[in-house]
């Protein structure tokens, strides 16, 4: 199955969600190697991107020119949103995603650089000025990611999606929670159906989709055209491909075990060191190593040794032992 977003054909309709501090370029490359219809960069603040503040340029290794990569931008000022959009298009981006769903307080608060993300659901008129500014600034497709609403008394995702469609947005992804829920409880996939019934553009369901069973339920309850997976890919970069195989009949991914798993993790570890530099790379890699070892049920003492080591050579030397547990594997 393929989702058409303007001239882009996204196959299969199983996408990787943007996760701050997680879906960096090394991880997106790894997920893409198994198979994903779309991967989305970490959210980038529009003004900071244009002004190239420290740390943002590194984060902005966004996959420019990659056919299955969306660059996600956020902000509250139409000028900076448009400038950021022009910037990423000029650098070869093929798809821009607007974030109006992030629930973090530093993003949604009215002070500093806040009042963006899901806070924009409290002011749809202002939200539309940002959408119109981005769509009007570029020739590449623009998509939108948001939530059901600000809270249970303001469930306006369908209205926002319809207005966004009228402004030229080509696809919308809905996380099945309100902002005030943050990540508590369970995503309400059924509520996404109101968006699907309102718009003619593709709708993607997001939230609590960890495996193929969840994906089937989310699609059935929402009527959505595809799913977006976040936490389900942590430690299991093949999960998107597995969902696509189970639901859409795509090729089964070659799920690594034992030496193959150690080799994959080692390659991902070295990619992070190359991307961030050795010191930062060692720190950033620890959460990923932890998720991989969760899957392998690595011995706790060996796990601690790997996650506390500051020596990349030692970590790489220990990985074969960490994943040599075939009787404990729950790879899928």
């Amino acid at each position: 199955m393929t989702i058409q977003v303007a001239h882009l054909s996204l196959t299969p309709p199983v996408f990787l969600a943007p996760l701050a501090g997680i879906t960096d370029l090394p991880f997106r490359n790894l997920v893409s190697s198994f198979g994903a219809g779309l991967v989305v960069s970490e959210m980038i603040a529009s003004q900071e991107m244009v002004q190239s503040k420290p740390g943002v340029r590194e984060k902005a290794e966004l996959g420019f020119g990659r056919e299955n990569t969306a660059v996600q931008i956020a902000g509250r000022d139409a000028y900076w949103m448009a400038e950021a959009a022009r910037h990423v298009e000029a650098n070869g981006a093929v798809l821009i995603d607007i974030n109006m769903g992030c629930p973090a307080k530093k993003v949604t608060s009215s002070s500093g650089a806040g009042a963006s993300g899901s806070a924009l659901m409290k002011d749809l008129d202002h939200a539309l000025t940002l959408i119109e500014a981005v769509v009007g600034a570029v020739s590449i497709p623009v998509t939108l990611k948001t939530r059901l609403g600000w809270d249970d008394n303001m469930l306006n995702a369908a209205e926002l999606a319809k207005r966004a469609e009228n402004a030229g947005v080509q696809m919308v992804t809905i996380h099945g929670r309100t902002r005030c829920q943050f990540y508590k409880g369970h995503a309400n996939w059924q509520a996404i159906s109101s968006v699907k019934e309102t718009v003619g553009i593709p709708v993607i369901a997001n939230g609590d989709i960890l495996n193929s069973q969840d994906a089937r339920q989310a699609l059935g309850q929402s009527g959505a055209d595809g799913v977006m997976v976040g936490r389900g890919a942590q430690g299991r970069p093949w999960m998107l491909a597995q969902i696509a195989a189970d639901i859409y009949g795509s090729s089964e991914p070659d799920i690594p075990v034992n030496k193959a798993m150690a080799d994959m993790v080692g390659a991902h570890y070295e990619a992070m060191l190359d991307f961030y530099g050795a010191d930062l790379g060692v720190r950033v890699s620890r959460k990923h190593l932890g998720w991989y070892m969760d899957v392998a049920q690595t011995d706790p003492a060996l796990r601690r040794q790997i996650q506390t080591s500051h020596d990349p050579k030692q970590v790489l030397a220990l990985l074969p032992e960490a994943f040599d547990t075939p009787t404990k594997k729950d790879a899928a």
Side-chain angles (χ1 to χ4, degrees), residues 75-78 100 115 120 123-131 163:
R76 61 175 178 174
D77 185 281
M100 292 189 178
L120 292 164
D123 187 349
L124 297 194
D125 289 341
H126 182 55
L128 261 292
T129 66
L130 305 181
I131 292 170
R163 294 179 69 178

Side-chain angles (χ1 to χ4, degrees), residues 109-244:
S109 67
S110 58
S111 61
S116 56
S118 57
L120 292 164
M121 301 199 79
K122 295 192 291 183
D123 187 349
L124 297 194
D125 289 341
H126 182 55
L128 261 292
T129 66
L130 305 181
I131 292 170
E132 290 167 349
V134 173
V135 172
V138 297
S139 60
I140 59 177
V142 176
T143 63
L144 174 69
K145 189 172 190 292
T146 188
R147 288 187 166 226
L148 297 175
W150 177 257
D151 58 24
D152 288 340
N153 296 316
M154 192 181 292
L155 299 174
N156 53 4
E159 180 184 355
L160 174 58
K162 186 60 180 178
R163 294 179 69 178
E165 179 184 26
N166 291 338
V169 161
Q170 301 282 334
M171 181 176 73
V172 61
T173 299
I174 306 294
H175 182 113
R177 289 183 174 87
T178 65
R179 184 272 175 181
C180 290
Q181 283 181 271
F182 287 88
Y183 296 98
K184 296 177 182 177
H186 196 282
N188 184 350
W189 300 321
Q190 178 66 44
I192 299 172
S193 64
S194 66
V195 179
K196 178 59 183 171
E197 293 164 1
T198 302
V199 300
I201 55 176
V203 174
I204 307 301
N206 175 229
D208 294 340
I209 300 171
L210 304 180
N211 51 44
S212 298
Q213 180 180 356
D214 295 337
R216 286 186 188 279
Q217 292 178 1
L219 289 168
Q221 293 177 27
S222 67
D225 302 283
V227 294
M228 182 171 279
V229 179
R231 289 178 296 121
Q234 293 174 182
R236 294 178 171 89
W238 56 82
M239 183 52 68
L240 277 72
Q242 186 64 60
I243 291 171

Side-chain angles (χ1 to χ4, degrees), residues 26-324:
F27 186 64
R28 295 197 311 272
N29 285 343
L30 180 55
V31 172
S32 293
S33 72
F34 284 97
L38 184 73
V39 297
V40 185
S41 75
E42 299 172 83
M43 181 184 73
I44 304 294
S46 55
Q47 183 173 347
E48 285 81 348
M49 170 187 282
V50 175
Q51 295 177 330
S52 299
K53 290 190 175 179
V56 175
R57 292 297 298 182
E58 298 88 279
K59 205 185 251 189
E61 287 284 344
L62 297 171
F64 294 140
R66 295 168 185 261
E67 290 187 0
N68 75 328
T69 297
V71 176
Q72 188 181 75
I73 61 175
R76 61 175 178 174
D77 185 281
Y79 171 80
W80 290 115
M81 290 286 282
E83 286 298 300
R86 292 188 186 99
H87 173 81
V88 298
E89 182 182 38
N91 280 277
V94 298
L95 185 68
I96 292 174
D97 188 59
I98 300 174
N99 182 296
M100 292 189 178
C102 180
K105 186 175 181 180
K106 67 179 180 180
V107 174
T108 60
S109 67
S110 58
S111 61
S116 56
S118 57
L120 292 164
M121 301 199 79
K122 295 192 291 183
D123 187 349
L124 297 194
D125 289 341
H126 182 55
L128 261 292
T129 66
L130 305 181
I131 292 170
E132 290 167 349
V134 173
V135 172
V138 297
S139 60
I140 59 177
V142 176
T143 63
L144 174 69
K145 189 172 190 292
T146 188
R147 288 187 166 226
L148 297 175
W150 177 257
D151 58 24
D152 288 340
N153 296 316
M154 192 181 292
L155 299 174
N156 53 4
E159 180 184 355
L160 174 58
K162 186 60 180 178
R163 294 179 69 178
E165 179 184 26
N166 291 338
V169 161
Q170 301 282 334
M171 181 176 73
V172 61
T173 299
I174 306 294
H175 182 113
R177 289 183 174 87
T178 65
R179 184 272 175 181
C180 290
Q181 283 181 271
F182 287 88
Y183 296 98
K184 296 177 182 177
H186 196 282
N188 184 350
W189 300 321
Q190 178 66 44
I192 299 172
S193 64
S194 66
V195 179
K196 178 59 183 171
E197 293 164 1
T198 302
V199 300
I201 55 176
V203 174
I204 307 301
N206 175 229
D208 294 340
I209 300 171
L210 304 180
N211 51 44
S212 298
Q213 180 180 356
D214 295 337
R216 286 186 188 279
Q217 292 178 1
L219 289 168
Q221 293 177 27
S222 67
D225 302 283
V227 294
M228 182 171 279
V229 179
R231 289 178 296 121
Q234 293 174 182
R236 294 178 171 89
W238 56 82
M239 183 52 68
L240 277 72
Q242 186 64 60
I243 291 171
D246 291 342
I247 294 179
Y248 300 111
S250 304
S251 298
E252 287 279 346
D254 186 9
I255 299 175
V257 294
N258 299 333
K259 183 181 184 301
M261 181 69 167
D263 289 345
M264 184 202 76
V265 175
H268 185 195
Y269 180 70
E270 291 184 304
M272 287 185 281
L273 297 182
D274 289 341
F275 184 70
Y276 292 105
D279 290 343
L280 180 57
V282 164
R283 298 196 299 273
V284 169
S285 69
R286 286 173 178 156
K287 54 180 172 284
H288 288 280
L289 293 174
W291 293 322
Y292 289 131
M293 289 187 285
D294 285 342
V295 173
Q297 299 181 37
T298 301
D299 176 78
L302 179 57
R303 179 193 179 106
R304 282 193 299 272
Q305 188 177 4
I306 290 172
Q307 287 195 285
T308 58
S309 176
H310 295 275
D311 182 358
K313 291 182 179 180
Q314 182 187 35
V315 171
L316 291 168
L318 291 172
L319 290 181
E321 182 182 355
F323 297 105
D324 186 23

